[in-house]
Amino acid sequence: MKKNKINPLEAHFEKLILVAVSAVLLAVVAMQFLTQPNAVKVGTNPTPLAPDRVFDPIERDAEALLAQMQNSSPTLPEVPDQNVAVQFAEVSNLAVADSIRLTVIGEGVSLEAAEIGPSGADAVTTYVMPALPVPATLAAATHRATIDPYTAVTNTALRAYLPKEQPFDTVAVSVEGTISGETLLASLEQDPDGDSGPMSQLPLTWWRGNMELLGVEVEREELGTGGSWTGSTLISGVPGRDTLLSEARRDQITAAELVDVARSAQSFMRDIAQPSFPQTVAGPDWVRPSEMTEDAGLTDEERDIARLKRQYDSLLKRQDGIRLQMENLTGSSGGGEERGGGGSGRRGGGGEGGQPNPRPTVDRDQIRRDNFQKQIDALDGQLARLADQLADLGAPIDGTPDQNAQSNEPEPPLPSLLEAEDLPVWVHDFSAQPGKTYRYRMRVVVNNPLFAKEQFLSDAQKPAAASPTTEGEWSGWSSPISVERDRHFFVVSGSENDALGNGPRAAVEVYQFYYGYWRKGSTTLEPGDSIRAKAKLPDNLLLWDLAKLEELGPRTGTGGRPAPGAGWREGFEGGPEGGGDNRRLLNPDRDPRDPRQPAQPRNTADAQVELPEGATKAPDTLELVHAAMLLDVMPMPGGQDSTRVVLRDAQGQLIARLTDSERASQFYKRLTSNAREGETQGQPELEANNDRQTPPPFDPRRREGEIDPGRGPGGG
């Protein structure tokens, strides 16, 4: 039988398979050690990385980014120039389809191509600047008073307009007008030529809430010798006071800063529109020119009524201030019982103290309260006398002084420009000179809503955006106002000869403004005599060492009253710049207006008053000299009760005066009345059964009604 022979490949096939599998396994194992089959490509890195190095490039990128963030001066990318006008012109020149046809359900709609106008300034809107309010009903009046020496020390600009020597008597012309913002608001809200016109009103965001009154300016002209008006001068405020108008007009102000200035004007409207007269120490209260003008057209009786009513209102305000001080007084500082050195503390001694202490405990607040009440009672008496005088003139006061007393609440803020309706505004001119005649006109100044907006304006309108302020139209000119001279004389009587055969004589009264009031001196002249007289001055007038006054500085209020500037508006009653005959209390136990309340008992007429530091007494008399000489006195023909008096002035010109006309003139009556008030410098009238006491001096560093905490009761 034949045997089948097995192929060697078949006989060893499983062995070959095992060898092949082993070789593959060895190759795989070798690749794990000899190559990097798990390498990974990370980001833009061209070389794959092993798994354990995958985060290396990420870490490097993070560190580079952190270094850039911490670099204080990185390299900035260049910004390519962009010309929007050129780009717009390129786009506008693209082809535009003549028409577009839309297929819709129903009839088709054909849209004509819109014309694209040329680019540039001609395509910019032209805005209409509304007309600003023009001041109306102008009135001008002069005011004389004595400026507080401390104000003269601190305000060097105002000092240039004051006398070189004390007292700092000044005369200023106040010019008043009225403005209304209703028309301005209406013009801002309405399109001037309608929707179809080329003009447009200002955008709302340009003026709503940030267009305000920044100042009021007046222009002054002087009457020349030939009757023409010359010397135009612009006046915008009290010298030395910072104004928002000067802030707005400073160089290189930005649009954002101008908006801040305008919004600040809302809080300072009263200082802008109705600036206060500088702080005074003597003289009548400042009165609005419109009120003075109203008096000019009144009869003598009506003028007296108006004057008495103003005095009545002024006393009411003063009484309000005293009541406020009483309310601000704190609790008692102790009882009035005498204390011993120990034990019960009564006069009999006792306890360990032995001898009693003869010094009583003083309730200072109660003493002040009592003295404030005395001042209120004294003012009640003056108010009652004024009420009686008004009743005699047929103008009785309704109610009692307490009922007529004004509230201590602060004055309400003035409305903004756009809300103003017949708002009184005024400006004080301190550069006016006595003896000259002026006329004034007024305009308002606001922030310019077009400022720094050239890119929105046409070429013709771009110049209007250069100035940060814009001025309204000038008002009409006021009536001429003459600034009275500092010295006047009146011939009140004259005689050709007397019963004793003496020659012609003339009685002359001379008036000179000094320390807040007109001072009167009388003399009798014979032919060849020049006018010389003496005026007696009150004994409480002081002159100050200005260097010492500046060193000492102002004093703040005490007794609970706020210091100046702490919620008290400057320029008004109780503030640091209120006008009027302001007296300072050197002692909490007396009112310097009332000589019946001395700081300590005075039994002799020559009792001395302690003067404030840096002060000296002013002279008791004032020399009054006028360069005029009496030539002759002639009675008027026809038996008239008048005499013609002829004098010659320093220039050789003849002056003729009629005695009855002199006495009947309103100017003479006004100076006479003012001189009577100046004899007591605003102090209450003395009762018949009271001895006249020497009133204390006043201190220009003190404010109305303030007290000296360093002085005890009865300090003297």
Side-chain angles (χ1 to χ4, degrees), residues 211-550:
M211 185 177 180
E212 290 292 343
L213 178 70
L214 299 185
V216 180
E217 294 180 327
V218 296
E219 183 183 18
R220 185 191 72 197
E221 288 186 347
E222 178 183 339
L223 182 62
T225 54
S228 60
W229 294 98
T230 60
S232 175
T233 304
L234 189 66
I235 301 161
S236 59
V238 176
R241 287 188 187 172
D242 294 332
T243 63
L244 290 180
L245 189 57
S246 60
E247 174 68 15
R249 287 174 171 171
R250 64 180 174 85
D251 295 337
Q252 299 180 349
I253 186 172
T254 65
E257 291 172 337
L258 182 63
V259 171
D260 290 339
V261 171
R263 291 176 178 173
S264 298
Q266 300 172 5
S267 302
F268 295 96
M269 189 65 174
R270 190 174 295 279
D271 297 325
I272 296 170
Q274 300 176 355
S276 61
F277 200 85
Q279 170 70 30
T280 62
V281 293
D285 291 339
W286 179 84
V287 179
R288 286 171 47 182
S290 58
E291 296 181 4
M292 297 289 291
T293 306
E294 292 171 1
D295 288 356
L298 302 178
T299 64
D300 292 347
E301 182 175 318
E302 291 171 338
R303 190 177 294 106
D304 289 339
I305 292 174
R307 177 179 57 83
L308 292 174
K309 285 186 175 180
R310 283 196 294 268
Q311 293 180 9
Y312 192 93
D313 292 339
S314 178
L315 292 180
L316 286 179
K317 291 181 180 179
R318 189 182 302 171
Q319 205 173 54
D320 284 340
I322 297 174
R323 287 195 177 96
L324 182 59
Q325 293 179 73
M326 290 182 65
E327 295 173 2
N328 289 333
L329 286 178
T330 56
S332 174
S333 60
E337 190 177 50
E338 294 182 348
R339 296 179 299 177
S344 65
R346 295 188 179 275
R347 185 173 297 275
E352 298 177 0
Q355 298 296 325
N357 187 347
R359 300 180 61 183
T361 301
V362 179
D363 186 347
R364 297 182 184 276
D365 282 347
Q366 185 59 45
I367 291 177
R368 291 168 181 154
R369 195 174 291 108
D370 292 343
N371 281 279
F372 284 146
Q373 187 60 50
K374 292 178 182 178
Q375 297 172 38
I376 292 174
D377 294 341
L379 291 173
D380 281 340
Q382 296 180 69
L383 290 168
R385 286 192 292 272
L386 289 174
D388 291 341
Q389 296 178 44
L390 288 168
D392 293 340
L393 293 173
I397 296 293
D398 296 332
T400 63
D402 288 339
Q403 294 172 339
N404 286 278
Q406 301 179 4
S407 172
N408 291 323
E409 296 181 359
E411 293 188 79
L414 294 181
S416 63
L417 175 62
L418 299 180
E419 298 173 346
E421 181 179 358
D422 295 332
L423 176 67
V425 296
W426 54 71
V427 176
H428 305 297
D429 177 16
F430 282 86
S431 61
Q433 299 181 16
K436 295 187 176 182
T437 301
Y438 302 100
R439 68 175 183 176
Y440 296 84
R441 61 179 181 174
M442 179 182 290
R443 70 181 180 186
V444 299
V445 184
V446 304
N447 57 301
N448 185 4
L450 304 181
F451 178 65
K453 295 182 175 63
E454 292 88 350
Q455 68 271 29
F456 304 108
L457 306 177
S458 63
D459 290 340
Q461 204 171 14
K462 284 182 178 179
S467 174
T469 61
T470 181
E471 295 77 24
E473 295 293 331
W474 287 107
S475 68
W477 290 101
S478 69
S479 301
I481 173 119
S482 297
V483 183
E484 57 197 22
R485 298 184 302 273
D486 297 331
R487 188 182 298 109
H488 299 272
F489 74 91
F490 302 89
V491 182
V492 295
S493 66
S495 61
E496 189 175 14
N497 51 64
D498 57 19
L500 300 178
N502 295 319
R505 294 188 175 211
V508 177
E509 293 180 1
V510 189
Y511 293 84
Q512 180 173 331
F513 192 83
Y514 183 86
Y515 224 120
Y517 291 90
W518 292 95
R519 310 299 176 177
K520 171 186 171 183
S522 301
T523 185
T524 301
L525 303 181
E526 296 180 355
D529 292 342
S530 59
I531 300 176
R532 290 180 175 272
K534 285 187 177 182
K536 188 178 184 307
L537 300 176
D539 50 8
N540 64 340
L541 305 183
L542 296 182
L543 304 178
W544 292 85
D545 181 345
L546 298 184
K548 186 65 175 179
L549 197 62
E550 185 175 12

Side-chain angles (χ1 to χ4, degrees), residues 149-172:
Y150 186 74
T151 299
V153 166
T154 55
N155 190 339
T156 56
L158 180 61
R159 175 73 182 277
Y161 296 92
L162 303 178
K164 294 182 179 180
E165 303 294 337
Q166 298 179 67
F168 294 122
D169 295 324
T170 186
V171 58

